[in-house]
Amino acid sequence: IAHRGGKFWEGSDFSYISESVRDGADIIELDIRFKNGEYVVQHSRWGKMQGRLSDALKKVGSALLYLDMKSSRMDVNDLIHYVRSICSNEIIVGSFSVKLLQSIKDSSVIKNRYCLLPFGMLARARAADADRVSPICYFVTPHLAQKIQTSGFKFVPSGNLIFKKKEVMCNQLRYARYGAWAISTHHAKKMREVISAHVLSYSPIRANGRMTIPIFVRDLNFFERPVRGRNWEYSCGELGT
């Protein structure tokens, strides 16, 4: 998943989305808000607006489109209809709101329920009729990941850890060991390079119209190594030391 479109959302013309697609991102995630009568891409209500959703959709190519709903008050069905009028990409909708996910009428839309805390997580995901569950990355453990999957959900950890503008790829790759359906990154190309070096297979396939990503790990010890000082810390287009 190209988190927030990828590349630390640099630039105002969404060129970073095109770059993520060229770099092999399977899914483009966009933070959606409704402001001044139109859908826009903006993570924080107080932060900088990245631009209009209509402009961003022109850059996603054939990648899956991940709509991160930043307000539960938006009309999700109107948003889906709007997106369908511009592109035909498969859609994932992510939200903390059970009610919002319940209200989705289009059965082809994949529902991803975010969870701030693990308590009551699975019951709320069932109530939302969710397909996937995204616990916040700080609380992910092997036990939690297994519990999500044995309960019939796909495990998709939210976001990624970033320290001083360095993306810690080792942490996300650890989730592959836990059976993650997808992993988030700001640098799709570098993530794929790391995957190819440490994972035997990472190939999206489609079954019944849905994407699955089987992952086979080459070196399990890789995921338990300390992060500090390793060359899979990747930031601003350059390798760390």
Side-chain angles (χ1 to χ4, degrees), residues 159-209:
N160 195 4
L161 299 177
I162 299 171
F163 298 104
K164 297 180 180 179
K165 294 187 176 180
K166 285 189 175 182
E167 178 174 337
V168 186
M169 292 189 172
C170 180
N171 289 345
Q172 283 294 79
L173 287 172
R174 184 180 289 114
Y175 304 147
R177 179 182 178 184
Y178 302 163
W181 178 78
I183 49 181
S184 295
T185 179
H186 295 283
H187 299 281
K189 183 177 181 180
K190 183 51 60 179
M191 180 66 83
R192 282 194 172 277
E193 290 175 358
V194 175
I195 286 172
S196 66
H198 297 278
V199 176
L200 290 175
S201 176
Y202 182 87
S203 54
I205 59 175
R206 291 183 181 275
N208 299 321

Side-chain angles (χ1 to χ4, degrees), residues 14-229:
F14 295 113
S15 59
Y16 54 90
I17 295 178
S18 298
E19 186 172 352
S20 293
V21 173
R22 288 195 302 270
D23 287 346
D26 302 300
I27 304 170
I28 300 296
E29 183 219 17
L30 299 173
D31 298 327
I32 310 300
R33 294 184 181 275
F34 190 74
K35 299 182 70 172
N36 300 321
E38 63 180 348
Y39 291 107
V40 299
V41 180
Q42 182 178 9
H43 177 68
S44 169
R45 70 175 69 178
W46 301 284
K48 179 182 178 182
M49 187 175 73
Q50 293 165 253
R52 296 183 302 176
L53 175 59
S54 58
D55 294 330
L57 293 176
K58 297 173 184 177
K59 306 288 186 177
V60 299
S62 60
L64 272 76
L65 184 60
Y66 189 156
L67 305 175
D68 187 344
M69 306 292 287
K70 289 303 178 182
S71 171
S72 61
R73 291 177 291 182
M74 282 190 289
D75 184 337
V76 65
N77 291 299
D78 181 73
L79 170 62
I80 292 169
H81 177 75
Y82 176 77
V83 171
R84 295 283 194 218
S85 71
I86 298 175
C87 65
S88 59
N89 301 56
E90 188 172 358
I91 296 174
I92 304 170
V93 170
S95 177
F96 284 100
S97 173
V98 171
K99 185 177 180 180
L100 183 147
L101 293 174
Q102 285 175 332
S103 69
I104 295 175
K105 297 176 182 178
D106 189 334
S107 61
S108 69
V109 172
I110 299 171
K111 302 178 184 180
N112 192 26
R113 206 261 163 176
Y114 301 143
C115 307
L116 187 61
L117 295 173
F119 311 110
M121 172 183 64
L122 298 178
R124 292 187 181 93
R126 291 190 189 96
D129 193 28
D131 306 287
R132 282 131 180 80
V133 173
S134 290
I136 196 165
C137 57
Y138 302 104
F139 299 111
V140 172
T141 65
H143 174 73
L144 180 63
Q146 183 182 32
K147 188 176 180 180
I148 291 170
Q149 294 170 89
T150 56
S151 298
F153 300 101
K154 301 294 185 183
F155 162 55
V156 187
S158 297
N160 195 4
L161 299 177
I162 299 171
F163 298 104
K164 297 180 180 179
K165 294 187 176 180
K166 285 189 175 182
E167 178 174 337
V168 186
M169 292 189 172
C170 180
N171 289 345
Q172 283 294 79
L173 287 172
R174 184 180 289 114
Y175 304 147
R177 179 182 178 184
Y178 302 163
W181 178 78
I183 49 181
S184 295
T185 179
H186 295 283
H187 299 281
K189 183 177 181 180
K190 183 51 60 179
M191 180 66 83
R192 282 194 172 277
E193 290 175 358
V194 175
I195 286 172
S196 66
H198 297 278
V199 176
L200 290 175
S201 176
Y202 182 87
S203 54
I205 59 175
R206 291 183 181 275
N208 299 321
R210 297 294 176 86
M211 174 177 281
T212 58
I213 304 179
I215 299 176
F216 303 95
V217 177
R218 173 181 288 121
D219 179 8
L220 294 183
N221 292 328
F222 168 79
F223 300 101
E224 304 304 332
R225 295 171 187 163
V227 170
R228 186 180 300 278

